[in-house]
Amino acid sequence: MRPLLLPQDSSLPSLVYTTVADRSDLGIDGTIESDYFQVQIDIWAETYKQAKTLEQEARALHGFAGDLFGLQVGLAEISKNLEEYDNDTKRYRVSLDLNLYF
């Protein structure tokens, strides 16, 4: 798992994550009601089957609540962003959005 980008010579399959949003929702009285964190997860693989297998493993987080690497998560949601084949690198990509509510 790597942040932001996948170097050309990286072994596959591999995951790349990018922070998309990190915010706190305010209540009408100005107090913080919830914290929200969104991460895009890109799964890169040599075969479509590898990419889909890792997607299914990542989807196990959907509906999760509890301790996640020391963070108390109120709810985790996963949604699919896109699937593609990169003709230049001959790699498959499945892109997911992971939303964490605290």
Side-chain angles (χ1 to χ4, degrees):
M1 184 175 265
R2 303 170 179 272
L4 302 178
L5 59 98
L6 184 68
Q8 283 292 108
D9 61 348
S10 296
S11 62
L12 297 178
S14 191
L15 291 116
V16 176
Y17 62 92
T18 306
T19 301
V20 176
D22 181 3
R23 71 171 199 255
S24 297
D25 293 329
L26 297 177
I28 195 144
D29 62 355
T31 60
I32 295 175
E33 293 196 350
S34 64
D35 288 325
Y36 169 82
F37 193 71
Q38 182 179 13
V39 177
Q40 179 176 314
I41 300 171
D42 291 315
I43 300 166
W44 290 95
E46 293 176 343
T47 68
Y48 183 69
K49 183 177 180 179
Q50 282 179 329
K52 295 300 284 181
T53 298
L54 283 176
E55 175 191 359
Q56 290 305 316
E57 290 177 17
R59 284 185 173 277
L61 283 173
H62 188 71
F64 173 81
D67 184 80
L68 182 65
F69 305 111
L71 298 173
Q72 285 304 311
V73 175
L75 178 64
E77 295 177 327
I78 295 262
S79 58
K80 186 181 296 190
N81 193 343
L82 69 90
E83 292 183 1
E84 73 175 346
Y85 178 73
D86 186 328
N87 218 16
D88 294 334
T89 63
K90 309 290 189 240
R91 296 175 175 177
Y92 292 87
R93 177 171 77 133
V94 173
S95 182
L96 304 171
D97 289 327
L98 170 63
N99 299 305
L100 300 173
Y101 300 91
F102 302 96

